[in-house]
Each structure stands twice: as C-alpha cells, then as structure tokens.
Amino acid sequence: MLVSTIRHFKAVNYHARILRTFSSQIKGQSSRSDTSKSLSELRNVYVEFLPDPTVEFRNPIREKLERLDMLARRGQIDIPEFYVGSILAVTASDPHSLGKTNRFVGICIKREGCGLRAKFILRNVIDHQGVEVLYEMYDPALQKVEVLRLEKRLDDKLLYLRDALPEYSTFDPDMEIEVLPEGSRVPVNPLKVILKPKPWLERWERQNLRGVQEFEISERDKRRADKVATPWLKYDLMKNYMNTIPEEEQNEIFSEIHEQLQQLELTRKKLKRKRSFVKPFKLG
Amino acid sequence: MNQADISHLVSRLKIQVNPRLRKFRNPEGPLGRLKKLRKTVTALFKHERIELNYPRAEEARMYAERLISDAIRYGDCHKTTMETADFWIEEKQLIHKLFKVLVPRYEHSQTSYTRMYRAPRPYPGPMHKKAVLELRGNPYPPLLPDFVSNRNLIHNVLLDEAKKEYRSQKYAEIAAKIESAEKGALQIENTASEKSSIEQNASVSEQKP
C-alpha cells in the first residue's frame, strides 16, 4: 500500500516537472499568451475571481465554492481575456426556439459583478437602432465567446456611447478576428467620441470622462457640476480600502487557483493550434 | 454586487476595521468629516500620544494606519501617496517625519503601527468614553505597568529563587565532575609513574649482567 502511494506520488511529481518545463519553454517564447502569468496580470484578466469587498456580502466558504464552479464552467467553455472597449461575438442558445442559437457582435461597454454573477453588456447599432445585450459570463446558455478585437478604451465604462453618435457603436456583425502579434500588450484606443446634443440619459458633464471630446454645457450645469463634485474622495483612504481587496488576500486567492487557470490556458492554446490547421483540398 | 477596485493596490491593515465608517455629521459634509479627522491624525504624528474621545480616536486610528502603510508600500517618490500625505498632514514638516522617521520605524513591523487604550472618563463630567491613541515605539514611558520586570512581584521572587536553586545544583554537579576528573587523572599519573619506575628498574637490571 505504502509503496504504491509512494510510486503514485513520484509519478505525480514527474508529471508536474514535465508540465513545469513545458510551461517554462512557452514562457521563453512569448509573454502575450504566457501560460504562467504573474499575479498582477492575473488580477487584471480574471477580475471576477476576486470577491465583492462589501463586508456584509463576504462569506469565505461561498466565495471558494463559487470559484470552483467558475473554474468548472471555464473547463466547458472558453471565456477569453477581454476588457471594456473590446469587441466581442457571443453565441448563446435561444430560449424561445429550441436547438437554435443567436450570435451577437458588439462592443463591451460595461463589466460588472463578481463570482458567478459576473456580467458584461455588449452594444451595437443594428438597422439604425441601438441594441444592448447583457450577458452573464457563467450562464450555461452561452455557447461561445470570441474576442474579435482585443483593446481597452480610456474609460472604465463606455455607457456614454448611448448618447454618442451612432457611428461610434456600429460594428460589422461579420467582422473577422483581428489577431494581435505575439508578445504585445493590450492596446489602449485613445478614441474620443462626439456626444449628441442634449437631452442625455445621464449627466455626462459630472463624470470626468476621458474618452469624450470637449462639449459645450450651460453655465448653470457647470455650476451644479462643481457643486456636487467630490474631488476629495481619492483622499478618503478608508473608503478606498473598503472598495478593494488587500493585495495579500488577492495573492492568496490567485495562488489557490493559479494552477487550474494555467491548465485552462494550456488547453486553450492546444485548441487554437488545432483550429488554425486547415486541411488542403483539391481545386477544380 | 460590485467588482473589487484593482486600480490602486493596498496592503492589509493589521488592526480590526469597522464594517461601517462613522459619519461625524458636519455642515461641510464628507469633506468636513475628513478635515476633522486630519486634525487628529496630524496631532498623532506630531505628539505620538494623544488623549481624545473614543469614536474619533478609533476613526482617526484607521486613517493613520492607512497613511503609514501606503507610505511604506509606495515610498516618497509616488505621486498619489505624496498628495494623500499632503492632504492628511496639516503641518507640512511632519510629512518629512512620516517618510524619514515613521517609515523606517515600522518597515518590518509585524503588528499594528498604533495602539489604542480605553482611558477613564472624568468624574463628575461628560459621559463620553475617552481613549488614548499612540504610535508604537514612541519615546514616552509606557502607559501600562510593566509586570514582566518588577522584581518584587511574588512570581518573580519565586522564579528568582528557583533560578538560584537550579544554578547552585548545576555548580555542585560541575564541581563534582571536576573533582572526579582530577581524581582519575591523579590515579592515572600514579599508575604511570609506577609503571615507568618498574620499567627503569627492569632496564637497569638488563644493563647489569
């Protein structure tokens, strides 16, 4: 019994060593699709693995179970890295027609929620009509998530696209995947959109938007914006502390799930290689 | 449900953090609250030990801890940290104290940077709870009596006696050992001298014939 367990242990060790050497080889090749990402990269890519910092919602056991469920779902469907401002194509099964799917292409204007409740909103203009779809990332109805263009924008939320000219949120549904060169960082698109004249859905002049071109506002609006501005919020150290998870805790969480995420990325790489192979066919 | 904000990383505080912050209602609103607290934080950095009302001490303590932990984490070349320190410390010479005195003092600290005690309230007087807030490692004599080094306390007297007894036992053992060793050495010497004398005699007897 003891001997067999020792042998088993050795075998596991051996496999781990093979994996490690394999990952280090890949690490040497590129940093973009790096299998062993550093913790700082992990926290940018997998934000939804961090729990909600609100004290009354914290529950370590539930959070851990949720992380396991998320990893299990990620084993079933490939959810790639994307950010607000990236252009995505989501294929989801249609709840109203059995056995059929819908594919929606649009720009991600918001990411919210954490754990299994992580969501994102896609926006596009179809037949001169702005359309937004809210998808839950770990919804079993999702069948495929493709990132057509991986990029960031200047703001954390692009909700102002609702009040911008329609050309800024119009994307071709038959768009092809734009592949980033290996080893490059995620590009930031410095595009400044032009807003439509008032009335707006929100008071954009109060939100310090960076991705919006200068617009004219009345003296009254300006005064009001100045009145409700909260420039001291960045000095409220405890409020900021309560809106985030301390780095030590983040490291604990990610070192726990680091290996599984690494495995998932490895399988994704393999699948990608398989997909890119096109069988030659006879002409004529 | 919110997502954790990861744009600005923070270190974990080493004190208990209240789930909700106190409002300190103020005509100036939240900014007035911060202004009130920064007076306390400045005083704490200046005097290193202050006595004040309990709620304000507890609230100011969290902000002081955050300020020191950020200063340790990011150093004085980080723009955001410097701006925050500039906001929180009203007497500007204390900014130097924060980065040049307090940061080296607490750099490798495993515990919190401040201590808070409940202080007795004046009687007769207002019913507010009082507290004493201090920075660790301050130059003042300690507030709590030092029970460890008071020689006259009964457990220390007993410990001293026990130590004395143990030491005398050890000395006795060592003396016994040395004695036995000396005896052994003497015996060996004696036997050796006897042997050598016998050998000499033998050699003499050999030379004789």
Side-chain angles (χ1 to χ4, degrees), chain B residues 34-65:
Chain B
L34 293 186
K35 280 182 177 169
K36 213 179 206 181
L37 284 172
R38 80 180 175 191
K39 275 183 206 163
T40 316
V41 171
T42 309
L44 175 67
F45 284 168
K46 187 178 181 185
H47 303 294
E48 304 217 357
R49 179 184 288 167
I50 48 177
E51 185 181 345
L52 65 171
N53 288 347
Y54 189 86
R56 194 150 155 189
E58 206 182 18
E59 208 74 359
R61 185 188 188 196
M62 295 196 286
Y63 282 92
E65 291 264 345

Side-chain angles (χ1 to χ4, degrees), chain A residues 117 235-236 241 244 247-248, chain B residues 5 10 12 63 73 88:
Chain A
R117 289 167 301 286
Y235 301 128
D236 197 336
Y241 183 76
T244 183
E247 203 204 0
E248 288 87 348
Chain B
D5 175 25
V10 297
R12 184 189 273 156
Y63 282 92
R73 188 185 176 87
W88 277 98

Side-chain angles (χ1 to χ4, degrees), chain B residues 1-184:
Chain B
M1 294 293 272
N2 308 308
Q3 239 169 26
D5 175 25
I6 49 162
S7 56
H8 187 73
L9 286 179
V10 297
S11 311
R12 184 189 273 156
L13 289 188
K14 289 152 191 158
I15 56 167
Q16 188 79 32
V17 174
N18 289 342
R20 244 172 246 103
L21 297 172
R22 288 186 175 85
K23 274 189 179 170
F24 293 128
R25 242 184 283 172
N26 196 291
E28 270 191 85
L31 178 61
R33 169 180 175 274
L34 293 186
K35 280 182 177 169
K36 213 179 206 181
L37 284 172
R38 80 180 175 191
K39 275 183 206 163
T40 316
V41 171
T42 309
L44 175 67
F45 284 168
K46 187 178 181 185
H47 303 294
E48 304 217 357
R49 179 184 288 167
I50 48 177
E51 185 181 345
L52 65 171
N53 288 347
Y54 189 86
R56 194 150 155 189
E58 206 182 18
E59 208 74 359
R61 185 188 188 196
M62 295 196 286
Y63 282 92
E65 291 264 345
R66 274 284 286 127
L67 198 55
I68 296 173
S69 82
D70 261 15
I72 291 171
R73 188 185 176 87
Y74 291 108
D76 52 358
C77 296
H78 189 243
K79 199 184 165 207
T80 321
T81 310
M82 208 44 158
E83 280 173 4
T84 318
D86 186 38
F87 176 85
W88 277 98
I89 301 176
E90 284 181 318
E91 295 177 32
K92 300 304 170 197
Q93 70 271 25
L94 292 175
I95 296 177
H96 292 280
K97 183 179 176 183
L98 172 66
F99 287 106
K100 292 174 187 167
V101 179
L102 300 184
V103 168
R105 191 195 286 177
Y106 300 124
E107 220 163 11
H108 307 294
S109 152
Q110 295 297 316
T111 52
S112 61
Y113 314 125
T114 57
R115 282 190 90 171
M116 201 169 76
Y117 306 98
R118 286 169 192 281
R121 70 175 187 80
Y123 182 83
M127 294 291 282
H128 309 307
K129 279 202 275 180
K130 288 277 183 183
V132 172
L133 185 59
E134 65 174 17
L135 290 177
R136 270 182 205 268
N138 57 17
Y140 307 120
L143 278 179
L144 297 179
D146 182 12
F147 289 117
V148 179
S149 57
N150 189 343
R151 293 290 87 187
N152 294 329
L153 285 170
I154 181 65
H155 56 259
N156 281 338
V157 173
L158 291 174
L159 274 173
D160 281 347
E161 286 305 311
K163 271 182 202 164
K164 243 184 235 170
E165 203 181 313
Y166 177 76
R167 222 172 283 145
S168 61
Q169 254 181 22
K170 277 279 158 189
Y171 286 144
E173 271 176 29
I174 291 166
K177 250 185 210 170
I178 291 169
E179 256 177 34
S180 64
E182 275 178 356
K183 267 183 192 171

Side-chain angles (χ1 to χ4, degrees), chain A residues 198-213:
Chain A
K198 273 190 164 184
W200 291 331
L201 288 165
E202 285 180 49
R203 296 173 173 121
W204 304 117
E205 76 273 8
R206 295 186 183 183
Q207 298 191 12
N208 299 325
L209 301 172
R210 293 173 64 213
V212 171
Q213 235 173 41

